[in-house]
Amino acid sequence: FGSSSASSLASHPTFTRPQPLEAQTRPCKMKGFAAVLLLLPLLASAARLSSKVTPTEKVIQMLSEMHGKGEKMMEEEQKVFREYTNWVDDQVTELGFEIKTATAKIEELIASIEKADSDVEQLGLDIEKLDKDIAEMTAEKKAATAMRAEQHAEYVKVSTDYGESVDALERAIEVMASQDHDTAQAESMLQSMATTVPGMPSVLNAFIQEKNRAAEPGAPEVAAYESQSGGIVEMLEGLLKKFKGELGDVQKAESNEKHAFEMEELHLSDTIEYSTSQREEKAITKGKRAAASAEAKGELSTTKADKAADEELKAETEAVYKEKSSAFARASISAARTFWFSSKATDFSDRKSVV
């Protein structure tokens, strides 16, 4: 409202800066008119002295005309001042409404800015936490992947050893079953095969351990193994069963570890993806809220400036009106006294003319 009110106020005929000549000289006109009225009786007396014909009727007519013109001028002045008063009332009322509206808007904008700034701060904290969580989960996923790679590498090594040992045992059993060998011969053959057959060194070690275990007190007679190839084949078949069982355990452990890793990797990947999405959304929202805060702050500054201008204009309008009201009141009192004197002068002239 500030600029429009100022424009409408400046356009009023009785309120411009500087004031129109008519508004500035109006009290002077009234005073001048009063002076003329006071001089009329003297002019009438002079006219009677200088003329052979008594001009009483003419003087009375002039006084009556001047009195009527004065009353008309007073009525016009009062009408203009009433219009000015109504205009001032309207302007003050409108300015007061605009000031009240601006005050409410300022409070609303301040609340909006505080809320937006609070949202920006909270979103910043949320984003910071999400960044930390994403970094931790990414590192955890990387560590789990590295560990899984080590586990698989170890599995490949162990399973390969067991697989070669199983193949070597199957070949050894086939050879022992086709020929009669005692324990010493079997061990010698296994040693020879260990130099060329993958997995045979492990079979040889297991064979020697089993032979030593059989030689312990309470074990079956060693001679049974030393003199019969059937006993040696049985021993090797036992080792084959053991190696196959251990290979199965290794394969099962590998499967379980692989499944656990895949589940953990899937969980971490999904959580990282979701957290990243949340982070992006919060970053966009933060930007929007920051922009809203900046816009509201600009609007707040403008609203405060408009309110200050309206308050200044309202105070100035009221001050000017108060000054003009006092001047008009003084002029009205002076004019009333003048009319009273002119009326008495007219009565006096009228009586003189009758005499």
Side-chain angles (χ1 to χ4, degrees):
F1 167 78
S3 59
S4 60
S5 297
S7 176
S8 60
L9 180 58
S11 64
H12 195 277
T14 59
F15 183 70
T16 55
R17 294 185 297 272
Q19 294 297 318
L21 183 60
E22 179 184 357
Q24 294 176 354
T25 60
R26 195 167 288 132
C28 296
K29 286 183 178 180
M30 297 178 70
K31 292 180 180 179
F33 174 69
V36 171
L37 292 176
L38 291 174
L39 290 174
L40 284 176
L42 298 177
L43 293 173
S45 298
R48 286 197 303 271
L49 293 175
S50 61
S51 177
K52 295 180 180 181
V53 180
T54 303
T56 303
E57 294 179 359
K58 187 175 181 179
V59 171
I60 293 174
Q61 182 181 359
M62 290 174 62
L63 291 172
S64 298
E65 290 176 355
M66 293 297 294
H67 188 81
K69 290 180 179 180
E71 288 181 340
K72 185 176 180 181
M73 289 175 63
M74 278 295 298
E75 290 175 357
E76 291 178 354
E77 289 288 330
Q78 290 172 350
K79 180 182 178 181
V80 170
F81 193 78
R82 282 195 301 272
E83 292 176 353
Y84 173 59
T85 298
N86 292 334
W87 179 85
V88 170
D89 289 342
D90 291 342
Q91 293 301 305
V92 170
T93 299
E94 189 172 357
L95 284 168
F97 175 76
E98 292 296 332
I99 292 169
K100 183 178 179 180
T101 301
T103 300
K105 187 175 182 180
I106 288 171
E107 294 176 355
E108 180 182 346
L109 287 169
I110 290 174
S112 178
I113 291 168
E114 290 177 350
K115 180 63 170 63
D117 289 344
S118 176
D119 290 345
V120 169
E121 182 180 2
Q122 183 59 51
L123 286 166
L125 294 174
D126 293 344
I127 291 171
E128 183 179 347
K129 185 178 184 301
L130 284 169
D131 286 340
K132 181 180 178 182
D133 292 343
I134 292 170
E136 290 178 351
M137 288 185 291
T138 301
E140 184 178 351
K141 179 181 176 181
K142 183 178 180 181
T145 302
M147 181 180 293
R148 174 60 195 147
E150 292 177 0
Q151 290 174 345
H152 182 67
E154 181 65 19
Y155 161 75
V156 170
K157 179 181 178 181
V158 173
S159 64
T160 300
D161 289 343
Y162 274 115
E164 291 175 347
S165 296
V166 169
D167 291 341
L169 274 169
E170 289 177 344
R171 290 182 61 182
I173 291 171
E174 184 179 356
V175 172
M176 292 293 177
S178 62
Q179 301 178 14
D180 290 335
H181 293 86
D182 56 19
T183 303
Q185 292 174 333
E187 183 176 347
S188 177
M189 186 191 71
L190 292 176
Q191 288 177 348
S192 177
M193 293 177 66
T195 60
T196 59
V197 179
M200 189 56 72
S202 298
V203 173
L204 177 61
N205 291 332
F207 178 81
I208 294 173
Q209 290 176 5
E210 188 67 19
K211 184 190 70 170
N212 294 335
R213 186 183 65 81
E216 294 176 358
E221 292 294 332
V222 178
Y225 292 100
E226 291 179 348
S227 60
Q228 300 179 9
S229 60
I232 296 173
V233 170
E234 183 179 351
M235 180 188 297
L236 293 176
E237 287 178 345
L239 291 175
L240 176 62
K241 182 178 180 181
K242 176 185 177 183
F243 277 31
K244 284 184 175 180
E246 291 178 354
L247 175 60
D249 292 341
V250 170
Q251 291 173 336
K252 183 178 180 179
E254 164 67 8
S255 178
N256 291 337
E257 289 173 353
K258 179 181 179 182
H259 178 71
F261 168 74
E262 289 175 347
M263 294 298 294
E264 182 181 10
E265 182 187 36
L266 178 63
H267 171 70
L268 288 172
S269 297
D270 289 344
T271 306
I272 290 171
E273 182 179 358
Y274 176 76
S275 298
T276 301
S277 175
Q278 288 291 301
R279 198 259 185 220
E280 291 175 354
E281 290 181 6
K282 288 181 180 293
I284 292 172
T285 303
K286 179 185 176 184
K288 290 180 178 179
R289 296 300 289 154
S293 175
E295 182 180 356
K297 288 174 181 177
E299 189 175 357
L300 176 62
S301 178
T302 300
T303 303
K304 285 183 175 181
D306 289 344
K307 179 188 175 186
D310 289 342
E311 289 173 339
E312 182 181 358
L313 183 58
K314 180 174 179 288
E316 185 177 354
T317 301
E318 291 172 336
V320 171
Y321 177 74
K322 182 177 181 181
E323 180 182 349
K324 286 183 176 291
S325 295
S326 298
F328 183 77
R330 291 192 298 269
S332 296
I333 293 173
S334 177
R337 290 174 179 173
T338 301
F339 281 130
W340 184 83
F341 282 120
S342 67
S343 177
K344 294 299 181 181
T346 301
D347 292 341
F348 175 77
S349 298
D350 188 36
R351 287 195 300 271
K352 292 290 289 182
S353 65
V354 173
V355 175

mmCIF file of all heavy atoms in Angstrom, residues 91 138 270 272 340:
data_model
loop_
_atom_site.group_PDB
_atom_site.id
_atom_site.type_symbol
_atom_site.label_atom_id
_atom_site.label_comp_id
_atom_site.label_asym_id
_atom_site.label_seq_id
_atom_site.Cartn_x
_atom_site.Cartn_y
_atom_site.Cartn_z
ATOM 1 N N GLN A 91 -7.877 7.942 4.407
ATOM 2 C CA GLN A 91 -6.464 7.593 4.254
ATOM 3 C C GLN A 91 -5.893 7.000 5.539
ATOM 4 O O GLN A 91 -5.183 5.995 5.507
ATOM 5 C CB GLN A 91 -5.655 8.847 3.864
ATOM 6 C CG GLN A 91 -5.984 9.390 2.490
ATOM 7 C CD GLN A 91 -5.730 8.368 1.394
ATOM 8 O OE1 GLN A 91 -4.640 7.828 1.275
ATOM 9 N NE2 GLN A 91 -6.751 8.085 0.603
ATOM 10 N N THR A 138 29.437 -49.069 3.071
ATOM 11 C CA THR A 138 30.281 -49.312 1.904
ATOM 12 C C THR A 138 31.591 -49.975 2.319
ATOM 13 O O THR A 138 32.067 -50.925 1.671
ATOM 14 C CB THR A 138 30.570 -47.990 1.181
ATOM 15 O OG1 THR A 138 29.327 -47.390 0.770
ATOM 16 C CG2 THR A 138 31.432 -48.213 -0.046
ATOM 17 N N ASP A 270 21.191 -53.164 -0.748
ATOM 18 C CA ASP A 270 19.852 -52.564 -0.694
ATOM 19 C C ASP A 270 19.814 -51.387 0.276
ATOM 20 O O ASP A 270 19.206 -50.350 -0.017
ATOM 21 C CB ASP A 270 18.825 -53.616 -0.275
ATOM 22 C CG ASP A 270 18.577 -54.654 -1.362
ATOM 23 O OD1 ASP A 270 18.968 -54.384 -2.518
ATOM 24 O OD2 ASP A 270 17.990 -55.706 -1.061
ATOM 25 N N ILE A 272 22.357 -49.512 1.269
ATOM 26 C CA ILE A 272 23.140 -48.402 0.704
ATOM 27 C C ILE A 272 22.339 -47.677 -0.376
ATOM 28 O O ILE A 272 22.309 -46.440 -0.427
ATOM 29 C CB ILE A 272 24.466 -48.926 0.127
ATOM 30 C CG1 ILE A 272 25.395 -49.385 1.256
ATOM 31 C CG2 ILE A 272 25.151 -47.853 -0.713
ATOM 32 C CD1 ILE A 272 26.632 -50.111 0.778
ATOM 33 N N TRP A 340 -19.824 39.423 12.355
ATOM 34 C CA TRP A 340 -20.581 40.103 13.419
ATOM 35 C C TRP A 340 -20.396 41.613 13.307
ATOM 36 O O TRP A 340 -21.360 42.378 13.377
ATOM 37 C CB TRP A 340 -20.091 39.608 14.773
ATOM 38 C CG TRP A 340 -20.887 40.182 15.935
ATOM 39 C CD1 TRP A 340 -22.065 39.751 16.434
ATOM 40 C CD2 TRP A 340 -20.513 41.328 16.722
ATOM 41 N NE1 TRP A 340 -22.480 40.531 17.474
ATOM 42 C CE2 TRP A 340 -21.540 41.530 17.677
ATOM 43 C CE3 TRP A 340 -19.434 42.215 16.694
ATOM 44 C CZ2 TRP A 340 -21.499 42.572 18.601
ATOM 45 C CZ3 TRP A 340 -19.408 43.238 17.623
ATOM 46 C CH2 TRP A 340 -20.429 43.419 18.567
#
